[in-house]
Amino acid sequence: MKNKAPKYLLAIHGGVGTILKENMNAEKELAYKQVLTLALTRGEMVLQKNGTALEATEAAIKVMEDSILFNAGKGSVFTHEGKIEMDASIMDGKNLDAGAVAGVCNIKNPISAALKVLQESGHILLMGKGAEQFALQHHCKFEDDEYFRSDDRWDQLQLAKESQGVWLDHSGEHKSATATVENGGLKLGTVGAVALDLEGNIAAATSTGGMTNKKFGRIGDTPIIGAGTYANNNTCAVSCTGHGEYFIKNVVAYDVAALMEYKKYSLEEAVNYVIHKKLNDQQAEAGLIALDSKGNYSICFNTEGMYRGVVRQGEAIKVAIYKEV
């Protein structure tokens, strides 16, 4: 997917997994596509007004965080203790500035808190109560526990406890049980966005509620720069979704950039190698979206489906869910 003219571009994802059409009713499918379309619309509005790639990724992700359908923000899954603990990160490819929050509770839009960390803190990663205090001081919006509570997610937690498992939102290992919780199959519902703005700068951002039934303050790849999120104008912007532990130990987001920088891979070559070779060999369910400052983009996954979408200047919004034949 190549484009010589550097026009604005925005790509998003809402998670990967065993997402099969036969498990998805028409109403649910439409709901997912509507949220994906709205996220792209909001992000594109920023880019149309000559906003930054950083601002566009935040705008797109906030839409998905505000939806109950995705494992981020309002739709986040429960920990073993029945809490909602969220992670998010964002990175500016222009100067490598980054911000992230981990293990935060009650912040309506963790991606906005991550952006404030980038802009105002002098640090990159803040966690837990300290991150919440920082977000409060910088006027991020908070919601009570009830705002985040979903009966589907709560039922999912009970099933996970019964199996004594820790689920990646909808793990393929628990197909029969999880499919009873939510139509549409099994998905890893982290959300993300990558953008190229009219100035030629790129950015990446990712947000998640983590794993159902997670314990001990587990943190995945999403708030770790280089693992779940990375952006550098000289190479690419990447947002990942899948089994976070694999993304951490393979430093996946940065690995794509490194292959481009040091081995001179194209964006498509780098993405395909990481997803279809490296992570496939480790039997990791994985997906990512990536773009470069030349306007090339890649949406790649090794599962049955991935909630995804893209819009480029002068072109119509495109959204999809299932694996293309």
Side-chain angles (χ1 to χ4, degrees):
M1 300 175 184
K2 293 187 176 181
N3 180 55
K4 293 181 179 179
K7 300 178 180 180
Y8 71 66
L9 176 66
L10 173 67
I12 62 172
H13 70 75
V16 298
T18 309
I19 306 166
L20 301 172
K21 191 173 183 63
E22 55 262 35
N23 294 329
M24 181 84 75
N25 63 47
E27 183 180 2
K28 197 86 169 184
E29 181 176 324
L30 178 60
Y32 276 112
K33 288 184 175 180
Q34 285 176 333
V35 176
L36 292 170
T37 299
L38 179 60
L40 287 166
T41 301
R42 292 278 175 83
E44 183 179 26
M45 288 172 62
V46 173
L47 296 171
Q48 286 174 333
K49 297 176 181 178
N50 205 30
T52 67
L54 205 66
E55 294 166 336
T57 58
E58 181 204 18
I61 285 184
K62 283 175 69 175
V63 172
M64 293 184 284
E65 286 180 336
D66 290 346
S67 169
I68 201 71
L69 296 176
F70 298 100
N71 180 20
K74 183 178 177 66
S76 294
V77 298
F78 286 97
T79 68
H80 181 75
E81 294 79 16
K83 296 172 59 181
I84 299 289
E85 293 178 354
M86 300 168 288
D87 313 320
S89 65
I90 191 166
M91 187 168 185
D92 190 344
K94 180 180 180 180
N95 49 27
L96 305 187
D97 285 348
V101 294
V104 297
C105 301
N106 299 106
I107 299 176
K108 182 181 181 184
N109 295 111
I111 197 62
S112 297
L115 182 56
K116 287 295 184 182
V117 172
L118 181 158
Q119 295 170 330
E120 305 289 347
S121 74
H123 304 302
I124 290 178
L125 175 59
L126 302 182
M127 63 168 284
K129 295 297 182 184
E132 292 162 18
Q133 182 181 5
F134 174 85
L136 190 63
Q137 289 179 359
H138 289 83
H139 310 294
C140 292
K141 189 171 183 180
F142 281 67
E143 297 286 354
D144 59 22
D145 291 345
E146 195 61 30
Y147 169 84
F148 297 92
R149 183 184 173 88
S150 159
D151 289 340
D152 282 346
R153 297 303 198 198
W154 185 256
D155 291 344
Q156 193 176 318
L157 173 63
Q158 307 318 308
L159 288 170
K161 284 184 173 182
E162 288 173 14
S163 70
Q164 297 184 339
V166 180
W167 296 2
L168 288 163
D169 188 4
H170 299 267
S171 168
E173 297 175 4
H174 303 280
K175 181 174 181 179
S176 60
T178 313
T180 67
V181 176
E182 182 174 347
N183 292 328
L186 316 165
K187 68 182 181 65
L188 315 179
T190 296
V191 306
V194 292
L196 164 66
D197 63 33
L198 291 172
E199 297 297 320
N201 297 313
I202 61 178
T206 316
S207 180
T208 190
M211 303 169 78
T212 296
N213 201 32
K214 65 184 178 183
K215 302 177 183 178
F216 313 119
R218 178 263 183 189
I219 301 294
D221 64 302
T222 292
I224 300 176
I225 299 302
T229 304
Y230 190 74
N232 183 337
N233 278 8
N234 294 326
T235 51
C236 59
V238 182
S239 174
C240 301
T241 177
H243 192 157
E245 278 65 20
Y246 287 96
F247 285 91
I248 294 171
K249 63 187 179 183
N250 288 287
V251 201
V252 166
Y254 178 71
D255 200 28
V256 174
L259 286 168
M260 294 177 67
E261 183 171 1
Y262 301 123
K263 297 195 76 172
K264 306 304 178 185
Y265 280 24
S266 69
L267 179 71
E268 196 73 23
E269 288 171 338
V271 166
N272 283 329
Y273 177 79
V274 171
I275 295 294
H276 293 304
K277 172 59 177 170
K278 182 175 283 190
L279 292 178
N280 258 1
D281 287 352
Q282 297 175 34
Q283 297 182 318
E285 289 189 310
L288 62 79
I289 54 175
L291 55 73
D292 62 26
S293 56
K294 298 176 183 177
N296 304 309
Y297 75 93
S298 179
I299 299 176
C300 188
F301 54 97
N302 63 9
T303 61
E304 291 299 321
M306 181 179 185
Y307 297 102
R308 60 200 187 274
V310 63
V311 63
R312 196 200 304 271
Q313 183 177 355
E315 298 180 13
I317 286 174
K318 300 174 185 177
V319 298
I321 297 176
Y322 315 110
K323 183 191 293 184
E324 296 176 353
V325 178

